[in-house]
Amino acid sequence: MSEPTTHALWGGRFRQGPDPRFWALNASLAVDQRLGRYDARASRAWAQALGRAGVLTPSEVEALTQGLARIEAEFAQGTFPFAESDEDIHTAIERRLKELVGEPALKLHTGRSRNDQVVTAFRLWMREAIDVLAHDVRDLMQALLTRAEADQNVLVPGYTHLQQAQPILLAHLWMAHFWAFARDRERLADTRARVNVLPLGSGALAGTTLPIDRAALAHALGFAAPTPNSWDAVADRDFAAEFLFVAALIGVHLSRLAEQIILFNTREFGFITLDDRFSTGSSLMPQKKNPDGFELARGKAGTLIGLLTGLLATLKGLPSAYDKDLQEDKDAVFRAFDTLHRLLPVVADSLRTLHVHADRTAQALDPATLATDLADYLVERGVPFREAHRLVGQLVQRAEALGVGLHELPLHELQAVHPAFQADVYERALDPRAVLARRDVLGGTAPRRLREQLTQARLLLEEPGPFGPEPQPEP
Ligand code: ARG
């Protein structure tokens, strides 16, 4: 960007224009032009509020309203003409408005500061961005639910410490990830409520001298209420930090899911195969088929965490209301939004299209994962759990020494350890399907409980939440 010839917004007290290198540093248009539609919409509401306050005549309001509507259309069509001298999106719009409607454009900024203006446009943008992300997250939840419905009978080893622990249903594991994203969707709803307040009318920091009805202005722009303190209104970027936190946590959840898939997709596990459409090959090794999409999910989680900590670090030292440091907020938030809006649909469709190898997951199950159930068998027959635990530990050792699975130990071996073992032990405690069915507690992996969980999940997906009904065009 070259040195501007005029500084329409603030040049009056300056004898010299800015150094071009300083100008390039200071200008934010490259980032904040994305706020164009939102800034024009807020300006239209401001012009009307100035009219109601008696500051502008009806014909001035009319001219500004029409000019700003035209500018909004130019942003929507991508035809808005930017100029070299535009410092930021607010400057650009005011300059363009002057070209379109002349004199009244010079009155639009009455009683307003870019400090309350920028944060108003940013909040309008973010409200829509949250709706889009909520839709993306919902679609991923839907993909996990569909996956769970399809994999309801697939027996897999459940892991703790990445060591086989107890048998579970694969559907139960998909649903574990579903609930994490359900909480993220709630977090988006919570954040949306704190985003949805109006700063406009706060001026630079102290409020405006004009008789502006801020409640009416809030209503006109679809905000729930005006902010209660003008200083806080222009300084507050909690909503941006919150947005970045929710984005980072979604990233972390995607990363944990991705790591699970990457492991299951290895030859060593062999539990799943990714669809060709969501895998990549190697330039050197012809046989390779790599899970790059999930690796990117895992990698981008790191970037999202960085965006959050970056903004928090920017905010922590700011003493006064608006400082130019705050200009850093939009880049971080836009990048987080773009990252997730690209990632979530790919992860959802990668899940929808992957192939599960149910024979392989069942084979992989180590019979020793039935040890807890063997202990429970003794507990049901009056043996204290701690004692049962110790006795079954001996049986695990014995099976290892004999080179057989726990379920293959003959009854006399079991009875040598405790006489309470009877012939029914094999079907009650040493059959993976039977022990699954006995995890029949609310939230457990028993097929009956899983079906309850699926019903609960389907109902949740039907709730629209506070979000816009349709995903908006990409903000
Ligand atoms: N480009 C600025 C931003 O993004 C707009 C606000 C500038 N306000 C000011 N007083 N310099 O934060």
Side-chain angles (χ1 to χ4, degrees):
M1 198 156 292
S2 66
E3 191 182 349
T5 47
T6 57
H7 312 286
L9 289 192
W10 43 262
R13 58 108 59 231
F14 287 79
R15 291 207 189 87
Q16 277 192 300
D19 180 285
R21 292 161 303 170
F22 168 63
W23 181 255
L25 175 71
N26 186 52
S28 57
L29 187 66
V31 171
D32 63 25
Q33 57 175 274
R34 196 161 172 171
L35 294 181
R37 268 164 59 197
Y38 306 88
D39 197 58
R41 195 195 305 166
S43 290
R44 197 147 47 85
W46 182 246
Q48 282 154 8
L50 287 176
R52 286 194 297 274
V55 177
L56 298 181
T57 66
S59 69
E60 286 168 334
V61 173
E62 181 57 23
L64 290 172
T65 302
Q66 293 205 359
L68 286 162
R70 161 115 185 244
I71 287 172
E72 273 177 74
E74 288 177 344
F75 281 121
Q77 292 153 13
T79 57
F80 180 90
F82 290 100
E84 289 281 290
S85 58
D86 294 337
E87 179 183 340
D88 57 20
I89 189 64
H90 321 293
T91 326
I93 290 176
E94 203 173 305
R95 190 247 327 133
R96 177 69 181 143
L97 194 58
K98 170 108 191 304
E99 291 164 12
L100 290 174
V101 308
E103 198 62 17
L106 302 179
K107 297 190 175 177
L108 176 63
H109 210 56
T110 314
R112 188 174 74 164
S113 159
R114 276 185 295 165
N115 298 354
D116 57 348
Q117 191 184 352
V118 66
V119 73
T120 300
F122 196 24
R123 284 173 181 270
L124 283 172
W125 175 89
M126 192 178 284
R127 201 169 65 189
E128 285 185 20
I130 285 175
D131 291 351
V132 171
L133 284 186
H135 179 270
D136 291 342
V137 170
R138 187 187 177 285
D139 187 56
L140 176 61
M141 290 163 67
Q142 182 66 65
L144 284 162
L145 178 59
T146 306
R147 205 56 273 170
E149 282 165 342
D151 300 334
Q152 269 184 78
N153 289 315
V154 180
L155 190 68
V156 289
Y159 296 81
T160 64
H161 308 265
L162 210 49
Q163 303 286 322
Q164 290 204 13
Q166 293 179 340
I168 61 160
L169 290 171
L170 180 55
H172 198 56
L173 190 152
W174 297 131
M175 291 309 292
H177 290 282
F178 174 99
W179 294 111
F181 292 110
R183 292 190 295 275
D184 289 334
R185 200 158 167 266
E186 281 173 21
R187 284 183 192 97
L188 285 170
D190 291 348
T191 303
R192 193 186 195 281
R194 276 182 291 277
V195 166
N196 201 26
V197 290
L198 171 86
L200 201 57
S202 300
L205 77 168
T208 173
T209 54
L210 306 174
I212 297 289
D213 181 349
R214 293 189 64 224
L217 189 56
H219 184 74
L221 288 167
F223 286 110
T227 51
N229 178 305
S230 59
W231 177 297
D232 181 45
V234 291
D236 170 25
R237 292 296 184 277
D238 291 2
F239 66 95
E242 242 182 286
F243 179 91
L244 289 175
F245 169 70
V246 178
L249 194 59
I250 293 173
V252 167
H253 289 152
L254 287 170
S255 182
R256 295 180 75 168
L257 171 63
E259 177 60 10
Q260 187 107 58
I261 303 272
I262 291 165
L263 279 173
F264 282 5
N265 186 55
T266 57
R267 185 182 164 88
E268 286 70 16
F269 276 85
F271 290 0
I272 60 169
T273 306
L274 297 184
D275 194 88
D276 279 1
R277 284 166 293 173
F278 294 101
S279 310
T280 50
S282 157
S283 59
L284 175 73
M285 299 165 281
Q287 86 285 9
K288 286 298 289 282
K289 186 169 156 186
N290 295 327
D292 288 30
F294 289 105
E295 290 170 20
L296 285 165
R298 199 175 52 188
K300 285 176 188 298
T303 305
L304 289 166
I305 292 166
L307 293 170
L308 168 64
T309 57
L311 183 67
L312 289 173
T314 297
L315 294 177
K316 74 174 271 297
L318 298 187
S320 68
Y322 179 87
D323 305 272
K324 200 56 170 271
D325 316 43
L326 291 178
Q327 185 163 280
E328 296 294 304
D329 59 359
K330 286 171 287 300
D331 191 35
V333 166
F334 292 159
R335 280 177 63 196
F337 171 81
D338 290 340
T339 300
L340 286 180
H341 189 45
R342 251 173 240 147
L343 197 52
L344 285 161
V346 171
V347 171
D349 281 1
S350 301
L351 289 172
R352 285 190 173 97
T353 54
L354 63 77
H355 308 282
V356 171
H357 305 297
D359 48 340
R360 188 57 207 148
T361 60
Q363 271 167 23
L365 188 72
D366 178 357
T369 57
L370 302 169
T372 317
D373 298 275
L374 208 50
D376 287 348
Y377 180 94
L378 288 180
V379 167
E380 281 166 25
R381 280 151 192 80
V383 182
F385 178 74
R386 198 43 64 210
E387 175 69 0
H389 187 287
R390 190 179 60 81
L391 295 173
V392 172
Q394 290 174 7
L395 287 172
V396 171
Q397 264 196 46
R398 184 76 188 132
E400 269 179 16
L402 295 174
V404 298
L406 197 57
H407 62 309
E408 288 162 338
L409 280 177
L411 189 58
H412 69 84
E413 291 280 357
L414 301 179
Q415 286 174 338
V417 161
H418 201 286
F421 283 120
Q422 298 299 321
D424 67 346
V425 69
Y426 294 99
E427 65 183 30
R428 282 191 62 80
L430 291 172
D431 169 10
R433 296 275 169 193
V435 311
L436 269 184
R438 293 177 61 228
R439 298 280 189 278
D440 189 17
V441 64
L442 184 69
T445 194
R448 189 173 83 88
R449 295 304 188 165
L450 182 76
R451 283 193 295 276
E452 273 176 14
Q453 203 188 141
L454 296 178
T455 305
Q456 197 186 345
R458 275 183 219 111
L459 288 174
L460 181 68
L461 284 178
E462 276 163 29
E463 283 169 23
F467 311 110
E470 282 292 306
Q472 323 279 326
E474 192 172 333

